[in-house]
Amino acid sequence: MSTEGQQNNNVQEFMCRIMDLKTRKLSGRLDADDTKNTTDAFRWLRNNSPQLDDAGKCQLLDSELIETCLWYCDTFFANEPLSCSVLLQFLANFSMGHKRAQLKIFGGFCGSLRNFIVSSEDSKLLNNSMMLLYNLCLCDVNFREKILKDVNIVQQIMTHWTQNEIEYSKIFLDSIFSNSKDFLLVYENLPDTSKNQLMNIFSIWLDHYHEEVSLEVIIVIKNDLFINCAIEKITSFVVNVLAKASSIEKFNSEIKKHTTLLKKIMDLLLFIHKRAKDNDSFNNEFSRVKDLSALFDSEIQTHNRFWFKSDLIRLIANMCYNHQEHQNLMRTDNIIPILLECCSFDAKNPLMREWSLFALRNILEGNLDNQNFVANIDSVGTIDIESSVALTDTLKMASIKNSVSDNDTMFI
């Protein structure tokens, strides 16, 4: 007998043991060691099923393998997360490269996997449930679309990564952040609070895993969630992602060249600046909070516009660096006086003064028209004391030859 034939027989023998244990359970004749013995049988199958040939896999499928495994998962192992994990690992190995097995497993186990992901607190079972689901999604576009449209599953995947950094929740998120179609499919189906959570996780990816993020996803965020979005609906989470992306070499050139994006940023800055001045109170979501101690207030740190203005100014700073057309827009559209007014402390916008000064430095560098404009800023209107100090600092920076070469990066 060939090696493959012998392997098929061995697997069939172990499956017979598993089915016999099911029969004994249903007839009430189980021994105390039967749970351990069954788990060991699934462990052996997990390790050896990859060597099965197509004929052996089809034979097992015809003998109601999936239905038997589902019974064990939902009934016999209902309170045995480790045993369930071993069973799911077996199914993952068994289904590799076998379309019929994948179809049957997805059809039979999708509900159980969803239930584990949504309700289980066992990290190993959670990880193996997401692993099997992820592997099935890799093999079939329709499976993947169904899962990515499932709001509960996506929400739990995000939560499991945020709380426990479970391996396959990260792998799932990596795959979403590397494919613009998948990202948009997920984002558009989520409620607003979960959209913000997804963008917050995306921001963390830019800090630590930006090599996993595709340029196409950044383009989708730039176009769909910012440029083509109504001003009042643009969130601080989206602005933060674009601000961080503008500082990363992989994405910077796409953002920096986009004058339409800069004009929308300018419109948004004008909008929120006017709103803040029209009603300078805490009830105004854009109003300035001048109290330094408020920076450590949880109500400020969880405010829906926390960092919002700072990130807009960060975008302006990076988009104006060594870009004369963008520098000139800051003058002709009267953004420079606003940046000067932003050179002051705001607990809602940490580092706003520093980003404003950096933006002004990039706007003035090598641009005599802008330098002359700032030198005669009094003719534009009255500015406060803090802005006057910032103006002095900025003129000093503009008058000192920049020691950074053209090949160095000035984006922050």
Side-chain angles (χ1 to χ4, degrees):
M1 181 181 292
S2 68
T3 303
E4 285 184 349
Q6 182 60 49
Q7 186 68 8
N8 288 350
N9 285 341
N10 290 339
V11 172
Q12 288 288 346
E13 178 184 343
F14 271 85
M15 278 309 303
C16 285
R17 294 184 194 178
I18 285 173
M19 291 178 179
D20 179 58
L21 284 165
K22 176 183 176 182
T23 301
R24 290 170 58 191
K25 165 67 176 175
L26 293 174
S27 63
R29 296 184 291 110
L30 276 185
D31 295 332
D33 292 335
D34 280 343
T35 297
K36 179 182 181 302
N37 292 337
T38 310
T39 303
D40 287 342
F42 275 115
R43 190 174 281 113
W44 187 93
L45 287 167
R46 176 197 65 191
N47 297 338
N48 291 275
S49 59
Q51 284 77 51
L52 271 175
D53 60 18
D54 183 72
K57 288 185 178 182
C58 287
Q59 188 175 357
L60 286 175
L61 290 171
D62 291 338
S63 65
E64 298 188 344
L65 165 71
I66 305 305
E67 293 81 356
T68 300
C69 288
L70 187 60
W71 177 84
Y72 272 102
C73 189
D74 290 348
T75 304
F76 191 69
F77 293 151
N79 299 310
E80 301 289 341
L82 175 61
S83 300
C84 273
S85 291
V86 173
L87 187 154
L88 296 179
Q89 290 168 350
F90 157 59
L91 290 176
N93 288 348
F94 177 79
S95 64
M96 290 295 283
H98 200 279
K99 186 70 174 178
R100 184 184 168 202
Q102 292 159 3
L103 286 167
K104 292 205 72 171
I105 292 170
F106 189 85
F109 273 82
C110 188
S112 296
L113 294 175
R114 179 184 287 107
N115 181 58
F116 289 149
I117 292 170
V118 170
S119 61
S120 178
E121 296 182 359
D122 184 88
S123 59
K124 188 169 289 187
L125 181 56
L126 280 169
N127 196 52
N128 283 300
S129 298
M130 285 187 277
M131 175 200 68
L132 179 55
L133 202 58
Y134 177 80
N135 289 345
L136 293 173
C137 288
L138 281 180
C139 305
D140 192 292
V141 174
N142 293 326
F143 291 169
R144 185 168 182 80
E145 190 169 309
K146 286 181 182 178
I147 296 306
L148 295 182
K149 283 183 175 179
D150 191 315
V151 172
N152 285 336
I153 286 183
V154 173
Q155 287 174 325
Q156 289 302 316
I157 286 171
M158 291 192 295
T159 299
H160 293 320
W161 183 83
T162 302
Q163 293 180 355
N164 303 306
E165 297 191 14
I166 292 176
E167 179 186 10
Y168 264 88
S169 58
K170 180 185 183 299
I171 291 173
F172 243 115
L173 290 166
D174 281 343
S175 69
I176 293 169
F177 296 154
S178 64
N179 184 300
S180 57
K181 182 181 176 183
D182 286 353
F183 173 81
L184 207 52
L185 182 65
V186 168
Y187 188 87
E188 289 177 342
N189 277 284
L190 291 173
D192 288 344
T193 53
S194 295
K195 286 178 179 176
N196 292 340
Q197 183 186 8
L198 182 68
M199 295 307 294
N200 189 48
I201 293 172
F202 194 99
S203 178
I204 295 170
W205 251 242
L206 290 177
D207 285 333
H208 302 288
Y209 317 112
H210 65 259
E211 66 278 359
E212 307 292 342
V213 177
S214 76
L215 176 61
E216 288 70 29
V217 174
I218 294 295
I219 292 172
V220 162
I221 293 171
K222 170 176 65 68
N223 293 338
D224 291 39
L225 308 186
F226 193 89
I227 293 176
N228 298 324
C229 184
I231 278 183
E232 63 275 9
K233 292 186 178 180
I234 295 174
T235 69
S236 58
F237 299 92
V238 168
V239 174
N240 179 256
V241 162
L242 290 175
K244 286 188 177 181
S246 74
S247 303
I248 298 171
E249 185 177 357
K250 179 179 177 180
F251 312 117
N252 174 264
S253 60
E254 171 62 32
I255 292 174
K256 184 178 178 181
K257 72 182 182 182
H258 213 295
T259 304
T260 303
L261 171 64
L262 181 61
K263 289 181 177 179
K264 185 65 173 277
I265 293 167
M266 292 158 57
D267 289 343
L268 184 52
L269 183 61
L270 285 165
F271 172 78
I272 65 175
H273 195 68
K274 184 176 185 301
R275 284 280 301 275
K277 295 182 79 172
D278 286 346
N279 183 12
D280 191 15
S281 69
F282 187 77
N283 292 327
N284 179 351
E285 60 181 343
F286 298 114
S287 62
R288 178 182 162 201
V289 178
K290 302 175 184 179
D291 182 7
L292 177 63
S293 64
L295 182 59
F296 308 100
D297 188 335
S298 61
E299 189 175 354
I300 291 291
Q301 294 180 4
T302 58
H303 195 279
N304 67 329
R305 298 300 184 180
F306 191 57
W307 280 99
F308 191 72
K309 204 170 188 178
S310 293
D311 282 330
L312 283 174
I313 296 169
R314 180 181 182 180
L315 273 164
I316 288 173
N318 287 340
M319 293 184 73
C320 288
Y321 176 66
N322 274 352
H323 198 302
Q324 190 170 42
E325 180 186 355
H326 289 175
Q327 290 174 335
N328 290 338
L329 277 174
M330 298 299 108
R331 181 185 74 254
T332 58
D333 287 40
N334 262 337
I335 299 299
I336 290 175
I338 292 177
L339 292 174
L340 286 166
E341 290 185 37
C342 291
C343 292
S344 52
F345 176 79
D346 180 2
K348 283 184 189 172
N349 289 282
L351 300 180
M352 183 175 73
R353 181 181 190 276
E354 288 73 15
W355 279 119
S356 298
L357 285 170
F358 185 68
L360 287 163
R361 175 239 180 259
N362 286 352
I363 290 165
L364 297 180
E365 184 185 19
N367 193 311
L368 290 177
D369 289 337
N370 283 356
Q371 291 177 26
N372 290 332
F373 179 85
V374 172
N376 296 285
I377 196 72
D378 285 340
S379 64
V380 176
T382 303
I383 59 175
D384 59 29
I385 294 174
E386 290 174 296
S387 297
S388 296
V389 174
L391 171 59
T392 302
D393 293 342
T394 303
L395 285 171
K396 286 180 181 178
M397 286 192 293
S399 66
I400 299 173
K401 183 176 177 60
N402 182 14
S403 62
V404 179
S405 72
D406 290 339
N407 293 324
D408 289 330
T409 300
M410 282 299 295
F411 306 110
I412 296 179

